[in-house]
Amino acid sequence: MENLLRMDRMPHIWCPGCGIGLGVTALASALEKAQIDLNNVCIVSGIGCTGRVAGYVKLDSFHTTHGRAIAFATGIKAANPKLKVIVFSGDGDLIAIGGNHFIHAARRNIDMLVVCVNNFIYAMTGGQVAPTTPLAAYATTSPFGCVEPPFNIPYIADSSGAVYVARWTALHVRRLTNSLTEALHKKGFSVVEVISPCAMYYSRINRLGDGLDMMKFYHDNVEIRHGEDTKNLDIGFQTKIICGKFVDKERPSYMERYNQWASEVRGASNES
Ligand code: SF4
């Protein structure tokens, strides 16, 4: 995997027990398994602990502004459609600040793979509540527990039009790798959520132990249900987490629609 990492940037900034590195490992393995020409792969991240990924991979990569990874990725894909564009960022970046970009890229079915590391909190900025923080969980800005219902990321992706939606935890590296490998071959907007421990903030503030304790929790509380209706994938505070592949369908990507539309319009104007 070292051939995919900028080893001169090591050691990385992630805390002991953080799950982000496992997500990167899974993606690196998936890229090798998928046998995609790495010269045609581009990785885009936003801001946050997960946003650092773009700086560590030895591929064409963009570390963009907060919440705008998908907007940058859309521009990259439109400018050079032959690229395999991968967005790798966190829940705060993609689903809160970048929420609008997420739903509209899904609606348009922009051809990209979005890997969303969900650690239930804004980590890099100090453990603030996020739109993924489970009800009643503590954060530095919710000292009496979160009162806002969290987003269900697979349901947002599915209902907005994503063609591939899966969820795994950082414990399920082999299954996550298989999912990413499959999603890399998919045409259209594909989303893989990776539930991941934030040992520094989420686990500490909620007295859940360290990263290893969170892995044990995933081991004991994950239910794998492929094909589950995405409406049923809410995550509560320390409740069971449903993982699996939920959506795998076909519909024309944005570029396919655009090219077809453009040729029809050109044909019509040539006839007139
Ligand atoms: S603050 Fe949390 S998410 Fe960020 S590197 Fe540390 S453990 Fe990981």
Side-chain angles (χ1 to χ4, degrees), residues 129 134-139 141-148:
V129 77
L135 269 176
Y138 295 114
T141 48
S142 62
F144 301 103
C146 176
V147 294
E148 303 170 7

Side-chain angles (χ1 to χ4, degrees), residues 13-20 49-50 119 123-124 197-202:
I13 63 155
W14 298 313
C15 311
C18 179
I20 297 170
C49 294
T50 313
N119 51 28
M124 183 177 265
C198 170
M200 175 57 71
Y201 289 110
Y202 186 76

Side-chain angles (χ1 to χ4, degrees), residues 87-141:
V87 171
F88 199 113
S89 217
D91 51 306
D93 189 66
L94 288 171
I95 308 300
I97 297 168
N100 250 340
H101 299 301
F102 185 88
I103 59 174
H104 290 291
R107 174 178 66 84
R108 294 175 179 133
N109 200 22
I110 308 280
D111 187 13
M112 67 174 72
L113 166 60
V114 176
V115 184
C116 178
V117 174
N118 181 3
N119 51 28
F120 305 145
I121 209 159
Y122 280 96
M124 183 177 265
T125 48
Q128 295 89 349
V129 77
T132 45
T133 307
L135 269 176
Y138 295 114
T140 51
T141 48

